[in-house]
Amino acid sequence: MRLVYFAWVRERIGRTDEEVDLPAAVVTIADLVSWLRERGEEYAYAFENDGIVRAAMDHVHVGPDTPVGNAREIAFFPPMTGG
Amino acid sequence: MRPTIRIQAEPFDSARETDALVAGRPDIGAVVAFTGFCRDEGGRLSALELEHYSGMAEAELARIVETAAARWPLSGATIIHRFGLIRPGEPIVLVLTASCHRREAFEAADFLMDYLKTRAPFWKREHLVDGTLGPWVEAAAKDEDAAGRWPIGP
């Protein structure tokens, strides 16, 4: 599965994207965030406050309870500030 | 209704986009145009840097237009959003809505901007006049409140 990061989430993690193999215990977006937090301090920093970072699965906004299923690409990013 | 949706680095010409929207469409009675510009924030900013999620940005804007078209009888719509380094005084975003009568066009344009600001994957970062990189712009609670005004959402 491909993970992509944007804006200050990308800067805190220190990469734009990566390929990961998720353990079976990762079922939802919230599980994925918990799993990422354990991968290193840069991830813990990016996801330090619950409910701030947003997620999208295959280009569609999703909430923390959404199952990751067979998503090809999951994105994490701050609240949007376009327009 | 087939909307025009573009994400681009280049500036745009609002008048030319309006001409393209109404060309060969004598059924259109109203076009509302909204242009959002980069401000200098009292002389503090040298530019805004716009980052976006390519692929999702186009898809999300298409979904937002689809939601608007389900609610208002639109004859056409155009959304152009720029990315990259944008200087104060330059345009960032264009929303055009076309309909038979003005009310629908006004309301749909207002809705599109409210939803675009809170749902389209773009992020602004400040570049300061002293040459340093400023902070990422924080999402405004008033924008979330504005999007919440509309009873139907995507």
Side-chain angles (χ1 to χ4, degrees):
Chain A
M1 182 178 292
R2 185 164 182 258
L3 302 182
V4 294
Y5 309 112
F6 293 93
W8 57 253
V9 173
R10 166 179 58 72
E11 289 184 338
R12 288 183 179 194
I13 291 173
R15 59 180 71 191
T16 59
D17 63 282
E18 60 185 321
E19 290 287 335
V20 294
D21 291 316
L22 299 185
V26 172
V27 177
T28 64
I29 293 289
D31 295 339
L32 174 55
V33 170
S34 300
W35 181 74
L36 285 169
R37 276 198 189 111
E38 298 302 314
R39 298 185 81 205
E41 60 186 19
E42 68 275 33
Y43 292 93
Y45 179 39
F47 294 102
E48 66 181 350
N49 293 311
D50 276 331
I52 301 292
V53 174
R54 312 293 178 89
M57 222 166 77
D58 294 331
H59 295 171
V60 178
H61 289 294
V62 291
D65 299 331
T66 306
V68 295
N70 295 316
R72 288 186 310 275
E73 183 172 287
I74 294 180
F76 290 103
F77 44 77
M80 289 141 282
T81 56
Chain B
M1 207 264 295
R2 293 188 56 178
T4 297
I5 293 168
R6 294 208 307 271
I7 315 284
Q8 62 186 43
E10 305 74 33
F12 51 77
D13 181 337
S14 175
R16 196 159 61 193
E17 298 301 332
T18 303
D19 289 347
L21 182 61
V22 301
R25 293 293 303 271
D27 58 309
I28 291 175
V31 173
V32 166
F34 172 85
T35 307
F37 290 87
C38 174
R39 292 185 300 265
D40 71 355
E41 300 289 4
R44 206 165 50 80
L45 297 195
S46 66
L48 280 175
E49 187 175 349
L50 267 290
E51 178 170 330
H52 75 295
Y53 182 2
S54 181
M56 179 172 172
E58 292 84 347
E60 188 61 27
L61 290 178
R63 285 189 286 266
I64 294 168
V65 173
E66 205 174 300
T67 306
R71 178 163 178 171
W72 292 278
L74 294 181
S75 316
T78 298
I79 301 183
I80 301 173
H81 203 302
R82 294 177 64 198
F83 64 88
L85 213 57
I86 300 177
R87 306 282 175 191
E90 288 186 26
I92 298 174
V93 62
L94 176 69
V95 166
L96 301 179
T97 51
S99 58
C100 292
H101 305 286
R102 71 181 186 284
R103 181 68 54 206
E104 292 79 9
F106 272 125
E107 289 186 3
D110 199 12
F111 169 89
L112 287 175
M113 277 309 301
D114 282 347
Y115 268 77
L116 181 156
K117 286 190 85 77
T118 53
R119 299 188 63 90
F122 290 86
W123 302 274
K124 292 190 183 107
R125 181 172 212 170
E126 297 184 346
H127 285 238
L128 308 180
V129 287
D130 65 6
T132 60
L133 201 52
W136 291 95
V137 173
E138 280 192 44
K142 66 177 169 59
D143 291 335
E144 283 290 344
D145 294 346
R149 286 188 300 146
W150 306 96
I152 301 173

